[in-house]
Amino acid sequence: MASWRPWRRTHLGTEADRATFHTLHTASLASPALREGLTTASAQRSVKHLRALLGVPAVALTDTAGVLAWDGVGSHHVPQVPDLVASALEHDTTRATEAADLPCVDPGCPVRHAIATPLVVEERTVGMLLAFAPQPAAGLVLATHEVARWVSGQLELAELDAQRTRAMEAEVRALRAQISPHFIYNSLGAIASFVRTDPDRARELLLEFADFTRYSFRSHGEFTTLAEELRSIERYLMLEQARFGDRLRVTLQVAPEVLAVTVPFLCVQPLVENAVRHGLEAVEGVGHLRIVARDLDQECVIEVEDNGVGEDPERVRRALAGDDSGDSVGLGNVDARLRNAFGDGYGLVVETAPGAGTKVIVRVPKFAPGVHP
């Protein structure tokens, strides 16, 4: 018969193992704030964890102008920090100060020496990490330098995130610039045609126009829900049906389970506009547009299909590769944003040929870390 022994602390590893775990855990507590960049708020949230990593009486985080956060004893030394920062910036290296640089009238104050290390992002010093202790031990100098390097790495990741966000925002602005002239011209023309013959319809269309433009030109968030994107598409199609009349027929099939799925802002609407402008506008007779959103296990699959004139596959390939010389509305833009958000496996799939209509397939994960409206 098997016997059970009580679980003992030794099973958690050696003292060195526990110290390593403690260090990694403390670093993980500081990381989320630092990934937001070097600001007063992020410094105040992370500085206590940095002090725990170094095990010193006090720690300060600064930018190149002044103190952002202080944690520990001896806060009466805060006014002396700008001079320490200026000296460290001048030499642009880790520096240990003399006791004379931190004069103090409190005989029991443990803040007697400071070790200042630059925080560097993309070869540019953005601030300082300062550790304060009774003595400037060599081990503490090395530890402060290594912690500052780790902090710099987190700040570089924050800068990369910020650059990515700025790039995504620029792509959305470029997409809006492509969409708006065509949409505004066609919509106002359709509304104007009803002003005398059907004022109520004109008013209804004008409200839809206002709601659509409000959504398309909103200034917050690079992601939205599929439900919001589809609501905007419905407004767009109502305006286009006012222009085309019975020549445009729309089928919309959406699984309720995928309405809350997060998608890049303006990732489906441009595909619908392409279908109307390039697929159906030139077709003789009735144009059919079909929009389907299906729940497929861990993914949501969205299809935009038309029975229009189709397209040369080579031109589509060039558009997806980033060639904007054609007149397709943001096809490469949407493809790039999907790949940036979810990975290269989630780009657009386009099935088309001259005279055969066009089908565009969008796949997005139902859940993606860090992606939310």
Side-chain angles (χ1 to χ4, degrees):
M1 182 176 178
S3 61
W4 295 92
R5 292 185 301 171
W7 186 268
R8 297 178 180 175
R9 187 175 179 84
T10 53
H11 291 162
L12 297 176
T14 66
E15 190 66 32
D17 291 336
R18 289 193 289 274
T20 300
F21 173 80
H22 176 72
T23 300
L24 292 173
H25 176 66
T26 304
S28 73
L29 295 176
S31 180
L34 295 170
R35 286 292 299 271
E36 297 174 9
L38 188 60
T39 65
T40 300
S42 67
Q44 290 175 347
R45 285 164 47 207
S46 62
V47 68
K48 64 180 179 180
H49 303 302
L50 300 179
R51 185 166 76 90
L53 280 174
L54 292 168
V56 292
V59 162
L61 274 176
T62 82
D63 57 16
T64 55
V67 179
L68 297 176
W70 175 288
D71 186 72
V73 300
S75 58
H76 52 280
H77 287 285
V78 170
Q80 300 167 347
V81 172
D83 289 339
L84 302 179
V85 171
S87 176
L89 286 173
E90 182 180 351
H91 295 86
D92 200 26
T93 187
T94 299
R95 286 180 59 80
T97 68
E98 301 293 335
D101 295 320
L102 285 168
C104 183
V105 297
D106 181 359
C109 179
V111 175
R112 296 301 179 186
H113 294 267
I115 300 160
T117 304
L119 302 175
V120 180
V121 175
E122 296 182 347
E123 301 182 354
R124 176 174 53 92
T125 299
V126 297
M128 289 282 166
L129 170 66
L130 295 98
F132 298 90
Q135 298 294 332
L140 180 58
V141 173
L142 179 60
T144 305
H145 178 74
E146 291 301 321
V147 170
R149 286 183 59 188
W150 176 80
V151 171
S152 297
Q154 298 302 301
L155 296 177
E156 285 202 339
L157 290 174
E159 179 61 24
L160 288 174
D161 288 342
Q163 290 175 0
R164 174 179 172 273
T165 298
R166 288 193 294 269
M168 295 284 277
E169 290 173 349
E171 288 173 347
V172 171
R173 286 195 297 270
L175 186 58
R176 286 168 174 159
Q178 286 181 275
I179 293 171
S180 56
H182 303 284
F183 170 73
I184 292 172
Y185 176 82
N186 292 334
S187 297
L188 292 179
I191 293 168
S193 69
F194 287 103
V195 168
R196 291 187 178 180
T197 59
D198 193 344
D200 290 340
R201 182 76 190 283
R203 180 179 180 278
E204 180 186 7
L205 292 173
L206 192 59
L207 292 175
E208 296 295 341
F209 174 81
D211 287 340
F212 179 91
T213 53
R214 186 179 298 113
Y215 173 81
S216 297
F217 291 92
R218 73 179 192 179
S219 59
H220 61 282
E222 63 182 88
F223 296 98
T224 187
T225 63
L226 181 59
E228 286 292 325
E229 187 83 353
L230 290 174
R231 270 196 288 269
S232 177
I233 288 168
E234 287 184 299
R235 296 183 184 111
Y236 168 80
L237 290 173
M238 183 177 293
L239 289 158
E240 291 292 56
Q241 284 179 314
R243 183 163 67 100
F244 285 104
D246 292 338
R247 286 188 57 218
L248 175 58
R249 295 183 184 175
V250 178
T251 301
L252 189 64
Q253 298 176 336
V254 180
E257 296 83 1
V258 300
L259 289 174
V261 169
T262 299
V263 297
F265 177 61
L266 288 182
C267 77
V268 183
Q269 192 275 333
L271 310 180
V272 174
E273 182 171 350
N274 270 332
V276 173
R277 283 180 54 200
H278 305 299
L280 303 176
E281 216 168 47
V283 74
E284 294 183 4
V286 177
H288 293 273
L289 174 64
R290 181 170 172 265
I291 303 170
V292 178
R294 295 184 286 116
D295 183 3
L296 189 64
D297 195 18
Q298 299 300 312
E299 295 180 340
C300 167
V301 177
I302 306 160
E303 299 174 355
V304 178
E305 185 176 8
D306 66 73
N307 68 333
V309 297
E311 183 61 271
D312 177 5
E314 179 58 26
R315 291 185 63 184
V316 172
R317 187 196 64 77
R318 291 199 302 269
L320 292 176
D323 182 357
D324 57 1
S325 60
D327 58 353
S328 291
V329 178
L331 203 61
N333 181 303
V334 172
D335 181 71
R337 289 193 292 127
L338 286 167
R339 293 176 186 275
N340 286 337
F342 305 121
D344 284 338
Y346 290 96
L348 295 178
V349 175
V350 182
E351 301 173 359
T352 188
T358 300
K359 182 178 183 179
V360 183
I361 303 169
V362 180
R363 291 169 43 249
V364 296
K366 290 166 69 176
F367 306 99
V371 176
H372 51 81

